[in-house]
Amino acid sequence: MLNYCRVFSILIILLMANKGFTQVVYPDFGMWNTLSIEKKLNKKISVSIDEEFRLRENLSKINLFYTNLGLNYKFSKKLKASFIYRITQKLLMAEATISNIELCWMLFIKKNFQRNLYFNLDKGLNSKTTISIQVAMGVILNLS
């Protein structure tokens, strides 16, 4: 139980260190839609393509599109690094568009927690549930 508290505490500290996470500009409902395709070349190396489409202002306006072309290396089940070429198109309030080309290096750390869930009504239900947390850290170089 102590390890779960440590991981959760570190995650909260990392998220709170970002000022944008702790401030709310205005109430809004948005949606992020992502389509990802990954092809394994061998056990450790894979290539991927991701397309993301984001909506904002209570789903009434398009926020951005981006396309990722990535080369991924899996060190273990819990650690993966990716080199990504990203093309982004962001739509502004005045309906103008900003296009960016970026090179990204990302490091993904994944931790799974298993918990027993109990539902007791005479015989009841006993099942194991896996909770997965993934933290991504990286460097982005803007080429535009």
Side-chain angles (χ1 to χ4, degrees):
M1 182 65 179
L2 187 59
N3 286 336
Y4 297 120
C5 291
R6 284 183 189 164
V7 170
F8 186 71
S9 298
I10 291 171
L11 183 62
I12 293 297
I13 289 169
L14 288 173
L15 290 174
M16 296 301 257
N18 181 1
K19 280 183 114 179
F21 181 78
T22 58
Q23 297 174 351
V24 175
V25 177
Y26 61 92
D28 187 15
F29 179 71
M31 183 187 314
W32 294 11
N33 305 288
T34 306
L35 174 67
S36 298
I37 299 171
E38 185 172 6
K39 173 68 177 159
K40 291 186 179 183
L41 301 177
N42 59 35
K43 288 184 179 181
K44 298 216 177 242
I45 299 173
S46 64
V47 292
S48 62
I49 184 168
D50 306 306
E51 184 68 38
E52 186 161 311
F53 168 64
R54 296 183 187 177
L55 297 171
R56 62 182 161 93
E57 294 188 23
N58 298 324
L59 308 180
S60 66
K61 293 195 177 178
I62 296 172
N63 187 14
L64 67 80
F65 292 96
Y66 77 72
T67 303
N68 282 347
L69 301 171
L71 179 64
N72 311 308
Y73 186 81
K74 190 173 184 179
F75 295 99
S76 67
K77 289 182 180 180
K78 297 180 181 183
L79 184 64
K80 178 174 86 169
S82 297
F83 181 74
I84 300 166
Y85 177 77
R86 177 181 290 169
I87 302 165
T88 305
Q89 289 184 327
K90 185 170 179 103
L91 280 72
L92 301 174
M93 295 287 188
E95 304 305 323
T97 303
I98 295 177
S99 296
N100 285 327
I101 297 173
E102 301 168 337
L103 291 177
C104 311
W105 178 80
M106 303 294 285
L107 185 64
F108 298 94
I109 302 168
K110 184 177 180 181
K111 176 67 176 164
N112 291 329
F113 301 95
Q114 287 200 349
R115 288 284 190 201
N116 289 328
L117 295 179
Y118 297 99
F119 175 74
N120 193 358
L121 192 63
D122 292 331
K123 300 276 177 173
L125 170 71
N126 182 4
S127 66
K128 279 199 175 204
T129 301
T130 301
I131 300 167
S132 180
I133 296 175
Q134 183 169 315
V135 178
M137 297 171 278
V139 175
I140 297 175
L141 176 63
N142 194 337
L143 300 178
S144 11

